[in-house]
Structure formats: structure tokens, C-alpha cells
Amino acid sequence: MVTAIEIGLAAAATVLMFLLVLAQAGQRYLPIDGWPWTGELARFCLVWLAFVVTGVLVTTDGHIALEVVDLVKNPLVVRAVRVFACLVVAAIGAGFAVEAFELMQSQARLKSPSLRMPMPWLYVLPLIGFVSTAVRGLVAAGVIAVRGVPAGHAPMMAGVE
Amino acid sequence: AACGGSDDGGGDGGGGGSAGEEVEITLAHSYTDDQPQARCGAQVIADEVASADVGVTVEIFGASQLGGDADRVNAVAAGDHDMDIQGASALGAIYEPIGVVDAAYAFDDAEHLATFFGGDASATVRQDFADSTGVQILGAWSAGARHFTASEPIREPADLDGLRMRFPNSPQYLMNAEALGATPTEVAFEELYLALQQGIVDGQENPITNIAAQNYAEVQDYLSLSAHQQNSNLVVIGPVWDELSEEQQEALSAAVDAAVEQVPQCVEELEQTQLDEWASGGDFEVVDDVDVDAFREQAEDYFSENYSGDQLAVYEAIRGSAE
Amino acid sequence: MTILWLTLAITALLCLRVPVAFAFLGPCLAYMWIEGQSIGASLRLLTAATASFPLLAVPLFILLGVIANKGGIADRLFDFALALFGRVRGSLGYVSVGVSLGFSWMSGSAVADAAALGKVEIPAMQRNGYPLKFALGVTGAASLIAPVMPPSIPAVIYAGLAAVSTGALFAASVVPALLMAFGLCVVVFVLVRRYPDIQVTQFSMPRVLHTGRRVLGPLGAPVIILGGILSGAFTPTEAAAVGVAYMLVLCLCYRSLKLRDLPEVLKETVLVSAAVMLIVSSASLLGYIMARERVPQQLSEAIFALTDDPTVFLLLVAIVILILGTAIDPTAILVLTVPIILPISNQFGVDPIALGVLLIISNMIGLLTPPVGTVLYVLSSITKAPTGLVFRGSLPFMIPLLVICALIILFPDAVTWLPEQLGL
Ligand code: NA
Ligand code: NA
């Protein structure tokens, strides 16, 4: 449910971004006055898209990682490393959540140049993403500590190399 | 931030001032080493401060190493680095009325801009800016007047009809477009060369040094010397200012004054060399019979009508200081 | 000293399976807080790096690729390519290079290219018996043609930094980009002889015509994107959006994609895009810290103190860029090193256009080298293959790229020949 909301927000940002870039291309050919803010809002959409699902990617193991430690044969070592990694991610998520919260305060007076959007709005979705990262990192650490490392992804690797 | 905070009780710098350790001030800007803003601006400030020997060193980070203009405006206000060189429109992000400095034909010429910021006429806006943002304006120079380049010559406002002109994406620049009678079209700076080359937009506006650095002559036919805006560079310093002794503050201000003195000369030399080169080259026609008065009148009418409150006050202060 | 600790911390976290983005973000955030930067400065830098107009093309081309893939376009393209070239051993390898070459005329960034084509090419190669390692390698290496062939985002950035003609730099890049394609085909030729399992089919004219009709629609996408950019209708970023719109309508018409599939398409797009963008932005935070600590300057100055020979100098430049490229984003490297390298290069009498081409190609190789290689991550992310496999797959394809770098180092004047002929 929470995951669906986070992905939904990112998907909405993507669709909006796509429509805005299309509109920016289109408004030069239509007999209307262009909106100078389309490019700006599209760039903000990219920020929202990039940061709101950082938490979801923790749960789905979708963040790109170097799988050096997976070569270790001892399952206990692998499990301990994975728990540690999840805790690190949770701590960093918390740190950036603090940053997002702080920016929402310190930039409260500022507005974006074209759209006149209050700048704190830019940091709302990153705040959600990083809080989610902290929570999901902790949960993932707990799950792996108790149940062990989940079976790996990589369906396409089967039978190759 | 500065390694300062060394203000161990000494206080208001009545005498010695530079007691304690060396204060290191970081100065960030977006120009490459050979541009006049770096060569005759930032470097001069650093050299002058060093020779004043007041326990301050200025360390320069050019070429947008510490981020783009918009981001550095926030960073200098937050004290993440100490000094910066910024256009007024960019500073408008943290205090809107300062953007008026970039209004079309606000200043008569480069000298008018320098004397405005050096004199009492700007005292109110500088104070309001500092009170509102915690950032001091130490001085300002013009990096040259902005002119139009386009696929057509632009001699009078009517010539802008039907041309898609790229203006930078900030409220003041978009107002300038309206004031001059242009239809602003949004193109990111990174894509501007391609957009001009392919005719996605018909023209743009920039000072001569930028037009040369970005090679727009390759993709545009005409440079129309409209001089519709002085390209302002404000030298600003963040919260570290209050940690400096009076002597240090004076040395820094004097250093900025020296740069303000030198930059216009450097810009002019560069512009003349470039204009001569274009004149001899032949494939980039320089239009020097632009009806500047027609543009100027139209712009003044527009801004007198459309500004209000603090913005109008700044605009009137600038116009009032004209010769 | 600080930078040593930062590097050690990042390396340790990477080895302990902390995701790449977080392995950068953690130590960087700690640095920023310890160094007394304001709380919020780090996130401000991340969002500023992300909110860039040219980067919008990244998720858009990822979206284009996902739609094309779910809509069965990959199958159509490769059926046709197989019908046409099926008799040639390793045809899909050449097709992959050729498609990247064609795509490079419309894309200015390797990341967008890898995202759009990787989704299409890699599954098709796998279905036809090509080893995944080979498919990843050829796709990744071929994607590097895009930022070398004009239009090129790094070329535009370099031309601005070095105050040289963008047009001349574009013209100078065409031959090296074509050489890259040729060199990659040579590697394909050598490698495919070792793979006995890949399919070779008989040539049949009816089959070519049948499969050919089925790709007319999809081939409209590059025509619209390329034609739109070249005719001046759109900027490259806008062309990406128009391409998405076209592909979406096409797949809906083919009924290979239903409206109810769209949530799944979007989900895949946002997860892949976000994973890539988070790393791109975290690399920029690292770049900020490096700049603050003056790392590129120190490194460059130390090495440039060693020689007075232009060839040795260019060799050192390439080596420095390749080393920096392992860990720093190419755009950041250009911004950080050009202001230092260019004046020294001018003293050596090296043409700035030749230097630019060398910098861009050597920089782009870094997109494929761990620990930070954006193309590596894009391919890893869309295929779920480990980054190590992508890197090992691309290793043989780096040989021609390095040979081209060596040629530029030995004969820098040859690079400027074409632009001079064109009078640029
Ligand atoms: Na390209
Ligand atoms: Na790399």
C-alpha cells in the first residue's frame, strides 16, 4: 500500500515530466503564448522521480550494489554484511531526511524563478523518500537478521557464465 | 566556510584587528581563468587582499566548480562558501527586488552601474538586501552590455516581431523580453548552441564576451548592438563578513573596488578585439545602427508601469542616479 | 588527508555491499557535516545536479525503451536484422553496433543510448544464443559512440569550457566515432568465432519482406527523433519525449501493449530511472567535495610536472582521465580538469580541438569502469546482471577505444583535418 503510493507519486512525476517536455516542444508550433515555466517544472519532476522511490528500491533490492561479498561462501558472514549494509542505508536515509526537513525550513521564503513555486515543495518528495529509506532499511536489516538473505534476483543470468 | 571564528575577544577591530590566526575566505564564481571576471576581477581581489597583509587570504574556486549560479546563491547565503560573483537576476532568487538591477536599459552604461553600486544611491537596496539575506554586496561591475544575435538584423522593436528569442529563465529576464517587445522562448543554456544551429530558436541575447566564448557567431548571422542591458556582476560575501575585523573589512572592500576599477577595461579590450575579428571575418555581420532610443523609451514605459513597491523603488533609485 | 579517509570509507562501504549511491552519499554527508557546511547543503547539491534539462532525456529514453520492449518492438527489429544478416556469423553483434551508430546521431549521451537500446538488444541476443556477457559488453561499448558522434552533450560542455568552436569539435568527432564503430565490429568478428551456439539462419527473400514490413513502424521512431533534431523541430531532450509519444501510440495500435499495461511500464521506468539518477547525483556531490579539496588540480599538477614532451603529456592526460573516470562522473571530470589541463596543453602546442576529442573519448570509457560507471549501472539495472559481468563483458571492446585514444595521442593533427577542410 505504502509502496504503491510511493511508486504512484514517482509515476505521476514521470507522466507530468513527459507531458511538459512534449508541451514545450509543441508550444513553439501552436499559435499560443508559450509558458516559460514548463522546463522548470519538468526539471523538478525529475527530482521528485529520482528521490521519492529511494526507499522502495531498498525493499526491492533495486539499488545498484557491487556484489563482491556475495562470493563469500560462509552464509553467516554474508548475512552479517547484508544486515550491516541495510543499517548503513537506514542511517544515511535518516541523515538526508534531516537535510530535507532543514531545507524545507531554510528555503521557506524562496520561490522558483519561473513558476513561483515555493521551494520547500521541491523537498517534500525527497523527504518522503528518505524517511522511507530509513524505515525500510531498518526493516530490511531486521528481516535479514532473522530470516537470512533472501534468494537472489537475476532471472536473466540463469545458465549464463 | 572560513576557518575563522578566531574572534577571540579582540572585538571591534579598533586597532590591531588581525590578531589571531589567518582567515581564509573562499571565493567561488562561474568563469574560466581567461575570462575578464576571473582575470581582472576575482584574481585582482585575491591579490589585493594578500598585499594588504591583514591576515586574510582569498582562495578562488572558478569555473562553477562549487556549483551552478542558482545553487551558489543559496550556498553563499547559507555560508557554505564565503564570497561569490553573481548576476543580479540570480540574486533575485533570495531577494527579489535586487533583480531590477538587470532591467533592460536601467543603466545608461557600464560606468553608471559601477558608480551606482559605489555610491549612496544604492545604500538602501544594499542595506535591505543584507538585512533580508545576511549577504553583503561589496561592489559591482558590468561584464559588458548584452546584445541580440539572430538570424535577422534587429534595428528597432518591430524587428523582434515573429522572432523566437531565447532569454535566460528568470523573472527579470522574461520581463526584459516583454519590455523590449520580444517573444521569449525557453531553451536550456546547455542546448542553446544546438537550438540556434538548428533554428529551434531564431536568436538570443548575451554580452559580446559570452557570444564569443560560446561560438554563437558560427550559428547566427547578425549581431545587433542594442546594449539593452548591462550584464551585472555583483561581488557578495556571506555571514563571514561579521567575523572580520574592521581593518579586514576595509581591506576586502578596497580589493573589490580595485577589481571594479579594472574589469571594465579588460572587458572593453576583449570586446574590441572580438568585434575587429568579426568585422574582418565577414560571416557574422555587426549591426551598429540599432535605434537604441526607441528600445530605451519602450522599456522605461514598461517598467514604470509594471513595477511596484520595492522593485519600483530600486528602479527609481537607479534611474534617478543617471547623469 | 581528509580525501584519503573519504576514499577509504567509500571503498569499504562498496565492498560491504552498501549500494553504490549510498556508499558515496554516506561518507560525503559525513564530510559535509564535519566540515561545517550547512545542514541541507548536501541535498541541495543533489537536487541541483538532478534538476538538469539534458538529464530529462535519461528517464524519457528509459521509458521509450520499456515501451518498445513491452510492445514487442525488439522482436520485430531483430527478426528483420536476422532475416537480413542472419547468414553472417554474429550478425546481432554487428547489428548492435550499427543500431548504436544510427542512434548516436540522435542521442548525445551514452546513458540514454544504453538505456534505450540495452532493453531491446540484450534480450534479443540472449534468445538467439549469444552469451549475456558478450551482449552486455557490445551494447555497453557501442553506447559510448553516442556522446562522441554529434550531437554530443560532453562536446557542447567542453566547447564552452575551452572556448573552442562547437561546430569544429562536432566535425572533428565524426571520424573517431566511425572508427569506434569499426573497431567494435572487429572485436565482434574475433569474439563470435568462439561462440558455437549462436544461431545462423538461411537467407530468404519472403522472410526479409515479411519482417521488413513489421519494422516500418518502429523505424519511424529514429526517423522522427533524428529528423526532428536535424530539421530543427526539437531539441534532443524534446525529441526523446516525442519519440516516447510515437512509440506509445504505435504499440497501442499494434495491440502489443494495452492501456492496462501502462502502470507496469511506468513502475519499471521509475525504478530503473531512480536507481540511475541517484548515483548520478551522488557522484556530483563527490565532485563538489573533490573540487573543494582541489583534488583534480593536485593530481594533474603532480603529473604534469613530469614531462615536456607533447606526446607524453597527452598520454598522461589520457591516463589521468581514465583513472579519474573510474570514480567520477564524466561531466564533473570535464568541468574540473579542462580549466587546469587546457592552459598547460596550449603551452605544449596541442590543438584544443584534438585535446577535446581525446578528453571526451577517454572520459566516456569511464562510463564502463567500476566503481562508478553509469552505463555499467544502467545495463546492470535493466538486465539484473551484476555490474562485474557488464565490466568483464566490455573489457575486450575497450581495446579499440584505447587504440583510438592512442592514435589521437600520436597524431593529434589528424583530428583537426576534417574541421579545417570544412572551414570550421
Ligand atoms: Na551523439
Ligand atoms: Na568509471
Side-chain angles (χ1 to χ4, degrees):
Chain A
M1 180 58 198
V2 176
T3 305
I5 292 173
E6 290 170 78
I7 292 179
L9 286 169
T14 308
V15 171
L16 183 56
M17 181 187 85
F18 162 65
L19 293 176
L20 286 166
V21 178
L22 262 191
Q24 182 173 330
Q27 62 189 303
R28 282 201 296 273
Y29 302 100
L30 300 174
I32 49 166
D33 278 348
W35 310 293
W37 45 263
T38 44
E40 184 180 280
L41 186 54
R43 292 186 292 114
F44 290 163
C45 283
L46 184 54
V47 172
W48 293 328
L49 149 68
F51 292 104
V52 75
V53 287
T54 50
V56 175
L57 287 167
V58 172
T59 305
T60 59
D61 199 18
H63 280 298
I64 298 146
L66 304 186
E67 286 105 347
V68 189
V69 77
D70 294 10
L71 303 175
V72 175
K73 291 284 182 284
N74 185 336
L76 214 61
V77 174
V78 174
R79 190 196 287 201
V81 168
R82 290 292 290 271
V83 170
F84 170 79
C86 288
L87 290 175
V88 169
V89 168
I92 295 165
F96 276 94
V98 169
E99 293 245 317
F101 187 74
E102 181 61 31
L103 280 177
M104 290 179 66
Q105 316 290 315
S106 67
Q107 310 239 324
R109 294 185 309 118
L110 305 185
K111 291 197 171 74
S112 71
S114 278
L115 191 59
R116 315 301 297 155
M117 185 189 86
M119 287 308 279
W121 294 11
L122 181 63
Y123 302 105
V124 173
L125 294 198
L127 177 65
I128 294 175
F130 284 121
V131 168
S132 163
T133 302
V135 174
R136 287 168 185 268
L138 282 177
V139 171
V143 168
I144 293 172
V146 175
R147 289 193 215 149
V149 177
H153 54 219
M156 289 186 55
M157 287 169 60
V160 190
E161 286 234 338
Chain B
C3 314
S6 59
D7 227 340
D8 35 62
D12 305 323
S18 64
E21 54 198 283
E22 191 88 345
V23 182
E24 192 182 280
I25 288 186
T26 46
L27 165 58
H29 62 77
S30 59
Y31 309 99
T32 52
D33 283 348
D34 53 348
Q35 285 184 286
Q37 292 96 326
R39 210 160 29 91
C40 314
Q43 194 56 51
V44 167
I45 294 173
D47 293 347
E48 291 283 324
V49 168
S51 64
D53 194 24
V54 288
V56 179
T57 52
V58 173
E59 208 188 342
I60 301 172
F61 292 86
S64 300
Q65 286 178 72
L66 298 190
D69 288 337
D71 191 49
R72 294 200 325 278
V73 167
N74 285 312
V76 80
D80 293 327
H81 66 272
D82 303 319
M83 284 179 81
D84 212 308
I85 301 175
Q86 288 279 352
S89 316
L91 291 170
I94 52 173
Y95 180 67
E96 195 164 356
I98 196 71
V100 172
V101 167
D102 280 342
Y105 294 112
F107 294 99
D108 290 347
D109 50 29
E111 203 188 328
H112 181 196
L113 185 143
T115 50
F116 174 77
F117 276 101
D120 292 338
S122 62
T124 314
V125 66
R126 278 184 289 147
Q127 192 58 50
D128 290 349
F129 182 80
D131 291 345
S132 167
T133 62
V135 177
Q136 309 283 331
I137 298 170
L138 298 182
W141 61 68
S142 165
R146 295 176 78 94
H147 308 286
F148 292 116
T149 72
S151 50
E152 312 273 340
I154 296 165
R155 294 196 168 85
E156 49 181 82
D159 292 337
L160 286 166
D161 280 351
L163 287 184
R164 288 168 300 189
M165 298 296 290
R166 186 268 180 183
F167 278 74
N169 185 20
S170 82
Q172 186 54 53
Y173 278 98
L174 297 174
M175 275 186 98
N176 285 356
E178 294 222 348
L180 298 167
T183 312
T185 302
E186 183 171 8
V187 173
F189 183 70
E190 299 92 325
E191 295 192 327
L192 183 51
Y193 180 94
L194 279 177
L196 290 168
Q197 183 179 42
Q198 296 160 344
I200 294 171
V201 289
D202 301 310
Q204 59 89 40
E205 50 93 61
N206 255 305
I208 287 173
T209 51
N210 283 9
I211 293 168
Q214 298 292 322
N215 303 302
Y216 295 145
E218 295 168 11
V219 290
Q220 296 268 271
D221 298 326
Y222 296 94
L223 167 65
S224 303
L225 298 179
S226 52
H228 56 264
Q229 181 199 326
Q230 293 300 323
N231 195 75
S232 65
N233 286 160
L234 279 62
V235 183
V236 295
I237 185 165
V240 73
W241 178 253
D242 296 326
E243 293 168 26
L244 301 177
S245 71
E246 204 166 299
E247 185 191 19
Q248 290 170 329
Q249 290 183 345
E250 273 165 19
L252 200 54
S253 292
V256 172
D257 289 345
V260 168
E261 191 88 0
Q262 291 189 28
V263 172
Q265 185 63 30
C266 290
V267 171
E268 211 178 301
E269 279 167 21
L270 211 65
E271 288 191 340
Q272 201 49 56
T273 318
Q274 193 57 57
L275 285 172
D276 291 346
E277 195 180 302
W278 284 331
S280 66
D283 28 337
F284 193 44
E285 193 177 319
V286 180
V287 179
D288 55 8
D289 58 341
V290 177
D291 187 353
V292 170
D293 289 335
F295 278 112
R296 187 189 299 276
E297 248 171 61
Q298 184 173 322
E300 280 213 53
D301 289 348
Y302 177 89
F303 289 124
S304 308
E305 217 166 278
N306 284 279
Y307 280 145
S308 60
D310 287 343
Q311 287 185 311
L312 187 60
V314 175
Y315 186 70
E316 284 173 344
I318 297 174
R319 291 310 308 146
S321 67
E323 292 288 309
Chain C
M1 203 56 208
T2 328
I3 222 68
L4 181 69
W5 285 113
L6 193 72
T7 316
L8 284 176
I10 291 172
T11 314
L13 291 181
L14 283 172
C15 293
L16 291 173
R17 213 186 185 287
V18 173
V20 176
F22 289 89
F24 285 119
L25 290 175
C28 287
L29 185 65
Y31 169 97
M32 298 287 279
W33 284 5
I34 291 168
E35 286 288 305
Q37 300 275 283
S38 61
I39 306 291
S42 304
L43 183 59
R44 219 184 47 228
L45 286 162
L46 291 187
T47 50
T50 309
S52 130
F53 196 78
L55 281 181
L56 289 174
V58 175
L60 288 175
F61 276 123
I62 290 175
L63 178 58
L64 178 68
V66 174
I67 293 173
N69 199 35
K70 290 243 195 287
I73 303 298
D75 304 323
R76 290 166 181 257
L77 279 174
F78 279 86
D79 289 349
F80 178 59
L82 266 188
L84 211 53
F85 300 113
R87 274 189 318 170
V88 184
R89 248 195 106 65
S91 51
L92 287 185
Y94 304 115
V95 167
S96 180
V97 176
V99 172
S100 280
L101 186 62
F103 207 72
S104 71
W105 288 97
M106 36 189 137
S107 152
S109 106
V111 178
D113 184 297
L117 302 184
K119 278 234 81 89
V120 177
E121 293 171 352
I122 296 168
M125 275 193 261
Q126 281 198 282
R127 271 196 307 280
N128 287 287
Y130 291 73
L132 178 59
K133 185 172 123 179
F134 171 84
L136 290 165
V138 69
T139 309
S143 77
L144 304 192
I145 299 171
V148 179
M149 186 71 86
S152 152
I153 292 170
V156 173
I157 293 172
Y158 175 84
L161 289 172
V164 298
S165 154
T166 313
L169 187 54
F170 276 7
S173 306
V174 173
V175 173
L178 291 174
L179 276 177
M180 284 171 76
F182 173 76
L184 296 178
C185 285
V186 171
V187 178
V188 170
F189 176 79
V190 174
L191 286 182
V192 291
R193 291 191 303 180
R194 297 192 309 188
Y195 305 136
D197 294 336
I198 56 181
Q199 288 176 14
V200 180
T201 52
Q202 286 305 309
F203 186 82
S204 116
M205 202 57 202
R207 222 170 92 77
V208 170
L209 289 178
H210 173 71
T211 55
R213 263 197 302 276
R214 286 167 46 85
V215 298
L216 285 180
L219 284 182
V223 170
I224 286 177
I225 296 173
L226 181 59
I229 295 174
L230 292 184
S231 69
F234 322 119
T235 68
T237 306
E238 291 165 2
V242 176
V244 167
Y246 174 78
M247 194 56 83
L248 184 61
V249 171
L250 189 72
C251 291
L252 290 174
C253 288
Y254 282 162
R255 296 180 186 285
S256 53
L257 196 71
K258 307 273 191 309
L259 279 174
R260 63 165 182 275
D261 296 330
L262 288 186
E264 194 55 36
V265 166
L266 283 171
K267 181 181 170 187
E268 191 172 335
T269 303
V270 299
L271 291 181
V272 174
S273 304
V276 172
M277 292 305 303
L278 194 63
I279 294 178
V280 172
S281 62
S282 65
S284 74
L285 179 56
L286 182 62
Y288 171 84
I289 294 174
M290 296 273 196
R292 224 176 154 268
E293 294 286 333
R294 298 217 187 269
V295 172
Q297 284 93 331
Q298 287 167 9
L299 194 59
S300 311
E301 279 162 16
I303 291 171
F304 297 148
L306 294 175
T307 182
D308 56 0
D309 179 70
T311 307
V312 178
F313 164 76
L314 284 179
L315 181 66
L316 290 174
V317 167
I319 292 172
V320 169
I321 298 296
L322 288 171
I323 292 171
L324 290 176
T326 57
I328 312 179
D329 174 71
T331 312
I333 296 177
L334 280 181
V335 173
L336 296 179
T337 60
V338 169
I340 308 153
I341 294 176
L342 192 72
I344 307 173
S345 167
N346 286 338
Q347 283 171 20
F348 278 106
V350 176
D351 189 293
I353 298 281
L355 177 73
V357 177
L358 177 65
L359 282 182
I360 291 169
I361 298 180
S362 49
N363 234 320
M364 290 311 129
I365 293 175
L367 291 171
L368 277 174
T369 54
V372 183
T374 316
V375 169
L376 217 55
Y377 302 137
V378 171
L379 290 180
S380 165
S381 185
I382 61 183
T383 61
K384 302 280 179 273
T387 51
L389 187 66
V390 186
F391 176 61
R392 276 179 284 128
S394 61
L395 270 179
F397 293 97
M398 287 186 191
I399 296 168
L401 303 183
L402 293 173
V403 168
I404 291 170
C405 285
L407 286 174
I408 298 173
I409 291 168
L410 291 173
F411 311 106
D413 295 340
V415 177
T416 48
W417 180 81
L418 185 58
E420 274 163 19
Q421 295 307 304
L422 293 172
L424 291 169

